[in-house]
Amino acid sequence: MERSHIIPTNDSLDELLKGGLYPGQLCELCGPSSSGKTQLCLTVAANVAGRSDVVVWYIDTKKDFSRLRYEEIMRARNFTQKIIEDSLRRTKVCRVRSSRELIRALQQLVTLCKQERNGASFAGKKALLVIIDSLPAVIFKVTRYAQQSDFETTYELDDLAEVCRFLTKEYQAVVITVNSVTRWEQTDPANITPALGKYWARIPATRLLIARRHGETRRINIWKDLRLIENSFCTVTINDIGVTS
């Protein structure tokens, strides 16, 4: 494993994660609405903005990816205009409206990776960061409006899990999924559960829980990871340069 391919989050969270997000890792970021999940995703993407060895795929299911906010984070870090423009070119924003479109987009990414590997392009040389923001926006939408059965929903989650596993195992991608929570009570992880049910709960190897404290201050807990100390936490702040320690 090349340490240069580890994806940084922020100093405090990286300390909990023993360095950051590792190649081949599927990490899920959970939290209630307006807790800062998207801001952390944009921060992670901006962290690799100046690195030509990282390609970012940002799959937007809520139609709220903010290019202006993304640029603001990079400008606040005093990135040059060239770095910002290069980063925007390497950040592939894909908007999807359903779980089927999400799975199709990920399958197309797999196909692209295969083609680039066969063509001796960047595959195996560049790190791949995939952000899916968010899963409930398409999974719950289908269930609510199309009266999709639990079996069909589980079948689609199984397809989603399979393609995510393939990206992490075959191409050592870092995949970040965004999820919501149910039964939000105070800040104790014992009182809440990740959305999407028991089947999906076992898929991510790492699960983080972000919660609003006061103002722009957030607390991030290690909710699940066999390598790490569960329920350890750090405190972060959302500001011009993203989510910072």
Side-chain angles (χ1 to χ4, degrees):
M1 178 188 301
E2 296 185 36
R3 291 197 62 84
S4 62
H5 285 178
I6 297 174
I7 304 296
T9 56
N10 65 64
D11 291 344
S12 296
L13 183 55
D14 283 349
E15 186 174 349
L16 294 183
L17 295 172
K18 296 184 178 179
L21 299 175
Y22 284 71
Q25 183 175 6
L26 175 56
C27 175
E28 182 159 271
L29 178 60
C30 297
S33 177
S34 302
S35 57
K37 301 184 294 294
T38 294
Q39 293 301 311
L40 184 53
C41 288
L42 291 174
T43 299
V44 173
N47 285 344
V48 296
R51 292 170 50 179
S52 60
D53 64 334
V54 182
V55 174
V56 180
W57 278 68
Y58 199 111
I59 302 180
D60 176 20
T61 69
K62 302 178 296 179
K63 298 181 181 178
D64 65 355
F65 173 84
S66 174
R67 175 180 171 133
L68 290 177
R69 174 57 175 153
Y70 190 35
E71 287 190 56
E72 177 188 45
I73 292 173
M74 290 187 281
R75 291 189 192 283
R77 300 180 182 198
N78 297 318
F79 289 172
T80 66
Q81 185 61 31
K82 184 180 186 307
I83 289 178
I84 293 174
E85 291 174 357
D86 288 346
S87 175
L88 291 172
R89 279 193 292 270
R90 288 195 305 274
T91 303
K92 316 297 183 182
V93 180
C94 178
R95 291 181 171 86
V96 300
R97 297 171 296 176
S98 68
S99 54
R100 289 184 177 89
E101 285 188 7
L102 169 60
I103 294 168
R104 206 155 44 234
L106 291 170
Q107 289 172 337
Q108 289 172 352
L109 174 56
V110 169
T111 299
L112 179 62
C113 288
K114 287 180 179 178
Q115 291 173 346
E116 289 173 333
R117 171 179 286 180
N118 293 337
S121 184
F122 80 86
K125 298 177 182 178
K126 290 194 177 184
L128 177 62
L129 171 62
V130 181
I131 298 173
I132 306 173
D133 185 13
S134 71
L135 292 180
V138 287
I139 300 297
F140 288 164
K141 176 181 178 182
V142 171
T143 304
R144 185 180 301 117
Y145 295 112
Q147 296 182 338
Q148 185 167 336
S149 69
D150 290 342
F151 175 79
E152 289 174 309
T153 301
T154 301
Y155 180 79
E156 290 196 342
L157 287 176
D158 188 53
D159 284 346
L160 177 61
E162 182 179 356
V163 69
C164 285
R165 285 195 195 101
F166 191 84
L167 285 167
T168 55
K169 292 183 181 298
E170 186 70 17
Y171 297 103
Q172 290 296 291
V174 172
V175 178
I176 300 175
T177 58
V178 174
N179 199 353
S180 56
V181 294
T182 59
R183 292 181 57 212
W184 183 253
E185 297 175 13
Q186 301 173 355
T187 57
D188 183 0
N191 293 328
I192 59 176
T193 57
L196 302 184
K198 293 182 179 179
Y199 174 82
W200 183 259
R202 64 184 177 83
I203 301 301
T206 302
R207 179 171 284 114
L208 306 177
L209 174 64
I210 183 169
R212 180 189 291 271
R213 302 297 286 173
H214 52 80
E216 297 304 322
T217 302
R218 305 291 190 268
R219 170 171 161 162
I220 303 179
N221 280 69
I222 302 294
W223 202 1
K224 170 193 173 183
D225 194 309
L226 297 178
R227 303 174 303 110
L228 307 175
I229 303 175
E230 292 190 6
N231 295 329
S232 58
F233 68 90
C234 65
T235 301
V236 298
T237 302
I238 300 176
N239 52 35
D240 288 347
I241 62 174
V243 177
T244 61
S245 300

